[in-house]
Amino acid sequence: MNASSTKIKSYQIFKTKARLQKPIADATHTLHEISFLVLRLHLHNGVIGESYLLSFQYSPNAILGALKDTLPHIVGLEAFETGKAEALLYHEAEYFGADGLNKWAAAAINIAMWDAWARSLEQPVWKLWGTHKDRCAIYGSGGWLSYTTDELIEEVTSYKARGFKAVKIKVGSPDWKTDEKRLQLVRDAVGDDLNIMMDANQGMQLPEAIQLANKARELNIYWFEEPLHHQNFEGYKTLKQQTGISLAMGEREYSVQPLKELIARNALDIWQPDILRIGGVEAWRSSAALAAAHHLPVLPHYYKDYDVPLVCSVPNGVGVESFDWIDPLIDNPMVVKDGFAYPHNQPGWGFRFLDEHLHEIK
C-alpha cells in the first residue's frame, strides 16, 4: 500500500482524568471523577486523527466495549469516508441498538476521521465546511448544586473577571425556593450586565418548574435548560405557555426526532446538540440545519473545542459552553477572550492530548 495513503491503518484507545478536588453534583447525578476516553486513528501516511469523549465514572466497561467492538470495522477506510463509516457502523450496531453507547462510539470515530482528513490536507476543520463567523460567544458553566454559597459566588465572579458575559448554574434542588435563593445570590454577585442561565438536568416536575420559572423571570434569567425529562414534550409545551420563559434542550438526544416534536409544539427556543450523542459532525450539522429552518439558534453542549468551529460554520450558531477540564491535558487550549472563543488555526481540530497524561487501554 502507498505510504501516502489516507486509509486507516490502526487505532489506539487511551484514558485520562481531569483534576477534581471533591465530587460535584447536579439535580440527577453526582460525579466522582472527570474522565475522558481518547481515540487515535493512525493513517498509512503517518497522520494521526484524534477525538475524545467525556465519560465520568459511568459504565466504563460498556463504553470501552462499544469502542472495541466498533473500531475494527473502520480499518481500511479512507479518512474522508465518514459517510461510509456511518452506514457501516449503523448496520453493525442496529440489532442491539444504534443509539446510546454505539452512537457514542461511532461519533468518536467520526470526529477522529475528520481530524485525520483535515490534518492530511494541512487545514483546520472549519475551512473544510465554510464559515459564517470567525468567533463565537462563550458562557461559563458550572454552579453545581453541591457547591457551598461561597464556592458558587467564587466561580461566577471568576468567570466575570475573565471576561465572560454569561454564566450558567445548576438548579433542581429538593425545594425550588433554594434554587431561587441561589439565583438571587448570583444575580447580586455578577450584577445586571451578565446573562444568567439555569440548568435542571431533567431534575424537576412540572409544577415546581413553573414556580421557579416565574420567579426566575423576575431575575431576568436568560433561559431554562432541561427542566423536565427530555421526552416530556407536552410538559415543555405547558411550561412555555404558562411562563413564557425561554427553553433550551438537546444534549440528551441521539437524533433530531425530539427536535421535531418540540418544534411542532412551539416548546423550544435554543437547540443544544451534543456532538457525541447526536452522532458526529454530519449529524450535528444536519440538526443545526433543521433548527435553522425553524429559526432556532444553536448553542451546543459541552465540547467547546469541537463546537466552536462547528458553530462558526452554521448561520444560526450563537455560542458555546465552557468548561476548563481538558485545558491542562492538551497542547493547545482554545483562545477565549472578552466573552468570545476563537477556532483553532492549526490543522484538524487544532489540539492534541499530551502523551504524559494518557494511559493506553489494550
Side-chain angles (χ1 to χ4, degrees), residues 91-339:
H91 177 77
E92 179 66 21
E94 187 274 333
Y95 186 83
F96 286 109
D99 288 341
L101 292 163
N102 287 317
K103 183 65 75 71
W104 284 71
I109 290 169
N110 173 275
I111 295 165
M113 289 177 72
W114 272 104
D115 190 49
W117 178 235
R119 287 177 183 271
S120 295
L121 297 176
E122 299 183 344
Q123 295 293 330
V125 285
W126 51 267
K127 287 190 177 181
L128 306 186
W129 308 320
T131 58
H132 288 263
K133 57 188 76 72
D134 60 6
R135 65 177 187 173
C136 63
I138 188 167
Y139 71 87
S141 196
W144 302 90
L145 292 183
S146 52
Y147 280 174
T148 65
T149 298
D150 288 344
E151 289 170 333
L152 175 63
I153 300 306
E154 179 184 0
E155 182 176 82
V156 297
T157 54
S158 173
Y159 276 129
K160 182 175 182 179
R162 292 166 57 191
F164 285 76
K165 308 303 182 186
V167 295
K168 187 176 77 180
I169 73 165
K170 302 298 186 182
V171 295
S173 302
D175 183 350
W176 67 268
K177 293 179 181 177
T178 301
D179 296 323
E180 180 190 3
K181 292 175 183 176
R182 295 174 82 247
L183 290 166
Q184 182 68 66
L185 287 170
V186 172
R187 175 57 75 200
D188 292 342
V190 302
D192 294 329
D193 55 339
L194 255 70
N195 284 325
I196 300 172
M197 296 83 78
M198 59 183 186
D199 181 1
N201 297 96
Q202 306 181 92
M204 301 187 77
Q205 299 301 314
L206 182 58
E208 291 76 20
I210 290 173
Q211 295 271 25
L212 181 59
N214 283 327
K215 289 294 184 180
R217 290 186 66 196
E218 298 174 9
L219 295 171
N220 195 26
I221 300 305
Y222 195 35
W223 81 64
F224 198 171
E225 181 174 337
E226 280 196 332
L228 312 172
H229 189 278
H230 68 113
Q231 294 179 338
N232 185 1
F233 305 128
E234 288 297 317
Y236 279 92
K237 176 182 177 180
T238 300
L239 180 59
K240 176 73 173 176
Q241 288 178 338
Q242 293 196 15
T243 69
I245 197 166
S246 293
L247 297 176
M249 270 226 0
E251 71 177 73
R252 304 281 177 176
E253 310 309 339
Y254 291 92
S255 75
V256 296
Q257 187 57 40
L259 176 58
K260 294 178 182 179
E261 298 285 352
L262 292 164
I263 288 171
R265 293 166 174 82
N266 191 28
L268 186 69
D269 298 281
I270 300 163
W271 174 239
Q272 299 177 302
D274 178 298
I275 190 172
L276 269 299
R277 283 196 181 97
I278 201 74
V281 168
E282 290 89 337
W284 189 105
R285 285 169 54 83
S286 292
S287 80
L290 177 59
H294 294 273
H295 311 288
L296 290 175
V298 171
L299 207 163
H301 172 246
Y302 178 71
Y303 294 91
K304 71 175 188 282
D305 292 273
Y306 299 144
D307 288 331
V308 169
L310 282 164
V311 163
C312 288
S313 77
V314 296
N316 55 330
V318 297
V320 297
E321 181 175 21
S322 179
F323 286 95
D324 299 332
W325 290 335
I326 73 164
D327 289 1
L329 308 175
I330 62 176
D331 61 357
N332 187 28
M334 180 161 280
V335 173
V336 176
K337 184 179 180 181
D338 297 329

